Amino acid sequence: MPRIVRKVRGALRAEWRCVPLAAWRELRERRPHAALLAVPLGLSLALTASLAMICLHELQQIPASDRLVRLAGEVRADQPLWVSLLRTPLSVLVPTRDQPVWGGLPRLVLSLGLAQLLLGARRTLLVGYGATLAGTLGARVMVAIGPDHVAGVPAAYAHDVDTGASAAVVGLFTYLSVRLRAPVLCLAFVVPTVVGSVLEPNLAGREHLVAVACVTAVAVLQERRRPGEFGAGGPAGPLRRSRGPRTATARG
């Protein structure tokens, strides 16, 4: 039993170093003349996405502007594929109508903030958008398969509106969990989403499962090609790129 306790403590200590502590170091070790801008620059994706989601939520409350939001960001499986692809980027920021916008903001800020600090802005955008796109395309495939197949859904699901950042959020947490080898992060943010999606198998839940599966596969392949790139003891991505040979305890 003491051996197990020591292993658990070691895993928790390693995750503390490679997730919150590494993110804090990335903010703290920015150049002195940019100290006042360290937080807004380091969390620019999280702040921009949150403000955009709040603004779009307010626009949805006005009938005239709500129609414009739906035309620009409403994605459904019964649309032509090219329409869905054009609307998918904005659909990430359009709040889901049946859920309060304020409830999802903390997870959005945390996922984008950690990812930008530990992975860099470009990879954060690629992973988040890739997870969203995987879920959106997966919904079309599931509708096409039909309810007679275990992976299919009823044709009526094709009319469901597919918006919100939940697939991007769970995709980012999944990628961070795998590349940083962070089981606590996975248990806190990925496992509840997966369990909820299994217990309530609606279209959104199926999309979350597709996003998690696709991001996990990509992250595992990248980890095999470049083991320890972001793990405990590995060099920090933003720190390594901007400060040459200097390395941090961990990277995300």
Side-chain angles (χ1 to χ4, degrees):
M1 183 63 68
R3 185 178 179 181
I4 297 177
V5 172
R6 286 197 299 270
K7 287 185 176 181
V8 171
R9 287 179 178 176
L12 293 176
R13 192 178 300 114
E15 184 164 347
W16 168 257
R17 290 196 303 266
C18 71
V19 182
L21 189 58
W24 169 248
R25 283 175 177 171
E26 175 61 20
L27 280 176
R28 190 185 63 183
E29 295 184 12
R30 292 178 179 272
R31 294 180 180 179
H33 69 266
L36 295 178
L37 298 176
V39 172
L41 288 178
L43 304 177
S44 58
L45 292 180
L47 296 176
T48 301
S50 300
L51 290 175
M53 185 169 287
I54 293 172
C55 290
L56 288 171
H57 170 71
E58 294 303 318
L59 289 175
Q60 285 180 319
Q61 312 309 311
I62 306 172
S65 57
D66 177 54
R67 185 171 182 273
L68 294 176
V69 173
R70 287 189 285 109
L71 288 175
E74 186 175 280
V75 173
R76 301 188 310 273
D78 59 357
Q79 296 171 337
L81 179 59
W82 67 270
V83 174
S84 293
L85 293 178
L86 284 177
R87 295 181 178 181
T88 296
L90 183 61
S91 72
V92 178
L93 301 175
V94 177
T96 305
R97 291 181 177 275
D98 59 351
Q99 296 180 358
V101 64
W102 305 106
L105 283 180
R107 286 168 57 91
L108 177 66
V109 171
L110 184 60
S111 63
L112 287 175
L114 283 177
Q116 183 175 357
L117 289 171
L118 300 175
L119 305 176
R122 184 175 67 174
R123 191 174 299 216
T124 297
L125 291 174
L126 287 175
V127 173
Y129 182 69
T132 300
L133 192 60
T136 298
L137 296 179
R140 302 178 73 93
V141 173
M142 289 184 284
V143 169
I145 291 175
D148 295 332
H149 194 278
V150 64
V153 296
Y157 281 24
H159 308 302
D160 290 354
V161 177
D162 178 19
T163 60
S166 56
V169 168
V170 72
L172 286 170
F173 279 130
T174 300
Y175 190 88
L176 287 168
S177 299
V178 175
R179 298 307 309 274
L180 294 173
R181 304 169 191 176
V184 176
L185 196 68
C186 180
L187 288 173
F189 296 104
V190 180
V191 172
T193 300
V194 172
V195 172
S197 299
V198 172
L199 295 179
E200 189 176 354
N202 52 22
L203 186 61
R206 298 286 187 94
E207 290 184 27
H208 294 158
L209 295 178
V210 171
V212 170
C214 291
V215 172
T216 300
V218 171
V220 169
L221 289 175
Q222 291 183 346
E223 187 64 24
R224 287 185 176 181
R225 291 178 57 189
R226 297 187 292 274
E229 181 186 13
F230 300 126
L239 293 177
R240 180 180 60 183
R241 287 193 296 270
S242 61
R243 297 175 178 85
R246 181 172 184 174
T247 59
T249 304
R251 181 199 179 195

